[in-house]
Structures are given as C-alpha cells and as structure tokens.
Amino acid sequence: MPRRILFLLTILLFFVSAQAQDKDANPLYLAFKPQYGFIIPHSPAIKDISDTNPYGFDLEAGWNLIQKKDWQRCNCYSRAGFLFNHTNYNNPEVLGASNNLSAFVEPYLNHRGFIMTSVRMGAGLSYLTKVYDEQTNPGNKFFSSPISFMVHVDFNAVKYLTDHWFLHAYFKYNHISNGGSAKPNKGMNFPTYGLGAGYSFEKIHFADRKKIRKDTAEPVRFIARLFGTVKQANENDDFRERKLSMGILLKGQKQVSSINAFNAGIEGVSDWAYKQKMEDQSLDTDHRQISFLAGHSFVFGKFDFSQYWGTYLYAPAYTEKNFFQRYSLSYKFYNNFSFGVTLKAHAHVAENFNLLLGYTFGEH
C-alpha cells in the first residue's frame, strides 16, 4: 500500500509539472527550510516521552502556477510540488528520526503587497528509524511500523528579496501514523515552525486577472467516495494478522463561493479487523458502523480538501466515543473520478488512514 500511494503521488506531481505548456511557463523553484517544534501529548500513554523538541528541515521543489487556467481554478494563484522532510525527535534511543516525502497544493491567500501569504495541504509517506518493540523499545507508543503516513497543513508567508530569491516563514501542523495497520498506533501530532530561503529559476509575474463569479445557484452535487485500508486484527506482537477495513461515503456538496463548499452525508464502514478481534474474544459485537457527517471543503480546481465532523448513528464498536473527525485530500484525475487519501481521528488520536476513490454524479 505505501508503494501505491507513492506511485499516485508521483503521477500527481508529474501532472502538475506538465501544465506549463502555454507561453507563460510555471516557474520552478527550490527551497531549504529549517524547522523546530514540539510534540502534543494527546494521550497519557505518550505523555512521558512527549517532552522534547523535534527539529529538522524541508527540501522543497515546486511550481508557481501562474497561467490563466491556474487562476480560473479558484480565482487565485497557487503553488504545487513535493518536499522531502527530515525530522529528528531529539530522543535518539526511543523516538529516533523520520524521513518524509509528501506532495502538496498551496493556494495564495494574497499575491500582492509586501508579503504573500498562503495555506498548504500535503500528504505522503514517512520512514521511521525507531518504532515500538515490546522488548527493546516499549516506550515508543507513537509508532509501531517503519513505513507510516504523513499529513500536514502549513501557513506560509513569502517575501521576495530579488526577482529570484525569497524568504519563507511558516508554521506547520504535522501528523504521522500508520493508519491502524499495526498497534500501538497513537500517532504523533507535532507543530513545527521556521524560516527558510528559496530560489525561483524565473522571475514570477502575476498577471492582473478578473475574478470569475462562481454560480452559487448551481444544484447540489452528489458524490460517492469509496475508501479502504488494512488494519492489524490482533494486538499480539507475534501474530500481526491484517484485515481489510472498507467504507463508502455518500454526500451532497453545495458550492457557496469560488473555493468554499459545504457537505453533508452518510458513511458506512465494515471493519473486518474489528470483527476478527471480537471473534478472538468470543464476542458477537457487530463490526459495522453507520455515521452522519457534515463539513466544509476548500475546492481549488481539481483539488478538494475536506474537513468533516461525524457522529455515530450505529457503531457497537464505539460505545465510549460519539464523535469523530475526517480529513480528506483528493484530486480529480479523469472526468468525474477522483483519488486521494482520508484520515479518521477521535480528537487528537488517529483511527486510520485510507486510500479513497470518488465519483461525482451529473458533472460535465
């Protein structure tokens, strides 16, 4: 599964880079960004090892998307690309370090004035040098598999010093977990911040363009999203059987501006890993779930970043949990089809990380 995600991210990056086909090329840039941060102790199980300050850097390559068709996606200019991140968790014996590769999309909130600001959504893979082991590393309840998933949301401020060189100040909210494929899986939430520098290989010219008014009177769009992952069925370290967990989200989406939309729908999930766990304990608790979700989407052309609040309508597996969050990042790659990733969490604790495939009905 990690290889499949990396393959999809690679296709996405090459597609983005291939957009520079008209007379105004999308300028390539490189950036180096040191960073420093802290770990959020979201569970008592990891509180004792959360008192440390991660540090590291980003090596970033991206494109400023300045063509007319880029503007028409969201009445804004944007950047997209990929980055390699190295983070040292400042606890070499227990937490070690991670090497992370992610793809991102980053619309500018403003592209004029003294400083340009933007928000970034990214997702990718993480390789961890230290993971949980019952004998040799029992204290690391954050990570239990070397290959995990990473999602991050960044808030950026960019100041061009010359036509090519720029400074880049930023704040990032990072999350790493294995998506429930192995336990323990508390996952790590660690904000970082820093100041870096970058170089654009061409001078960037943001043409003056008129905003295109979005027809907010258009009808509600109906979308189906199928998602799934594999999860560890048994918590015994000597018997890590994996089982499939799959679900479907049926929702309506109403566009209210050029980049904002609201969503509401019903989600159903069948978790065969939980079913196996119940059978091992000679219990007959149902492994299926039905939930109601409502939320918001940032829609930037073919990219959709959605945040949902969910409540369980039927979920015997979660007698002590009534609500959850779901975050999704998807890209429309062919006609009405989209692919991406989605993360489910209870407060700060990640439940699972899934691949998703979506279809929008009635869209041309």
Side-chain angles (χ1 to χ4, degrees):
M1 183 172 292
R3 292 181 180 178
R4 293 176 184 174
I5 294 178
L6 183 58
F7 175 70
L8 293 176
L9 292 174
T10 303
I11 291 177
L12 173 61
L13 292 175
F14 276 103
F15 182 85
V16 171
S17 66
Q19 300 307 299
Q21 299 299 321
D22 63 20
K23 64 179 181 179
D24 296 320
N26 287 331
L28 172 69
Y29 74 89
L30 300 177
F32 176 75
K33 298 155 52 180
Q35 59 193 251
Y36 184 82
F38 59 94
I39 299 172
I40 297 176
H42 60 262
S43 169
I46 49 85
K47 185 176 181 179
D48 291 342
I49 58 171
S50 297
D51 189 19
T52 184
N53 296 103
Y55 61 91
F57 62 87
D58 286 352
L59 289 176
E60 182 178 316
W63 295 265
N64 279 284
L65 306 180
I66 60 173
Q67 300 174 24
K68 182 179 180 180
K69 57 187 176 183
D70 300 315
W71 171 266
Q72 291 173 339
R73 292 191 184 105
C74 60
N75 286 328
C76 65
Y77 291 111
S78 58
R79 300 197 294 185
F82 62 94
L83 64 85
F84 168 80
N85 166 269
H86 173 79
T87 299
N88 187 309
Y89 296 106
N90 214 1
N91 187 342
E93 298 300 323
V94 179
L95 301 180
S98 67
N99 296 299
N100 314 292
L101 180 65
S102 65
F104 65 85
V105 58
E106 179 184 340
Y108 284 110
L109 301 178
N110 72 292
H111 60 278
R112 301 292 187 190
F114 183 72
I115 293 178
M116 298 185 295
T117 59
S118 60
V119 60
R120 172 180 299 184
M121 294 80 72
L125 296 176
S126 178
Y127 175 75
L128 299 151
T129 62
K130 290 287 186 177
V131 298
Y132 172 84
D133 184 275
E134 187 177 18
Q135 302 299 324
T136 62
N137 195 16
N140 188 351
K141 302 294 177 60
F142 287 114
F143 314 123
S144 57
S145 55
I147 302 297
S148 292
F149 307 100
M150 181 181 196
V151 293
H152 57 96
V153 178
D154 308 15
F155 298 92
N156 305 295
V158 173
K159 171 61 180 176
Y160 271 83
L161 304 177
T162 70
D163 289 340
H164 299 276
W165 289 97
F166 61 87
L167 292 177
H168 187 155
Y170 61 99
F171 173 85
K172 299 176 62 176
Y173 187 89
N174 308 281
H175 173 81
I176 295 178
S177 71
N178 63 31
S181 61
K183 297 181 180 180
N185 178 43
K186 296 298 182 182
M188 182 182 286
N189 302 297
F190 61 105
T192 55
Y193 50 91
L195 177 66
Y199 181 83
S200 176
F201 288 88
E202 299 178 47
K203 180 181 178 180
I204 299 175
H205 172 66
F206 294 105
D208 292 324
R209 304 189 192 276
K210 293 183 179 180
K211 291 187 176 182
I212 301 173
R213 294 182 61 87
K214 185 71 175 181
D215 183 10
T216 56
E218 66 181 24
V220 174
R221 294 177 179 176
F222 292 96
I223 302 171
R225 285 184 168 177
L226 182 69
F227 53 89
T229 188
V230 291
K231 297 174 61 179
Q232 183 179 333
N234 193 301
E235 296 188 24
N236 189 312
D237 291 328
D238 298 325
F239 181 63
R240 293 195 171 187
E241 182 181 2
R242 264 68 172 181
K243 293 289 185 178
L244 185 65
S245 176
M246 290 192 66
I248 185 169
L249 170 63
L250 302 175
K251 70 171 185 175
Q253 184 178 80
K254 173 62 176 177
Q255 196 88 18
V256 295
S257 74
S258 59
I259 63 172
N260 293 284
F262 292 113
N263 307 275
I266 297 293
E267 175 182 289
V269 175
S270 286
D271 189 339
W272 284 278
Y274 186 81
K275 180 180 180 181
Q276 181 66 54
K277 180 180 178 180
M278 292 299 97
E279 290 177 352
D280 292 342
Q281 298 176 12
S282 299
L283 300 175
D284 59 357
T285 308
D286 196 349
H287 65 287
R288 289 165 290 194
Q289 309 159 26
I290 299 175
S291 308
F292 171 78
L293 284 83
H296 170 267
S297 294
F298 289 110
V299 182
F300 303 101
K302 296 183 178 182
F303 292 95
D304 184 307
F305 177 58
S306 300
Q307 318 90 44
Y308 305 97
W309 171 86
T311 182
Y312 294 112
L313 303 177
Y314 174 80
Y318 297 106
T319 56
E320 298 180 357
K321 299 175 182 177
N322 298 317
F323 310 107
F324 64 93
Q325 310 95 259
R326 183 174 291 284
Y327 307 95
S328 299
L329 179 62
S330 64
Y331 176 78
K332 190 173 293 182
F333 67 97
Y334 177 74
N335 291 339
N336 296 353
F337 288 94
S338 59
F339 72 85
V341 293
T342 179
L343 172 70
K344 178 183 177 182
H346 293 99
H348 294 293
V349 180
E351 174 75 14
N352 53 53
F353 197 100
N354 299 258
L355 291 177
L356 70 82
L357 178 66
Y359 183 82
T360 303
F361 295 91
E363 189 175 63
H364 300 289

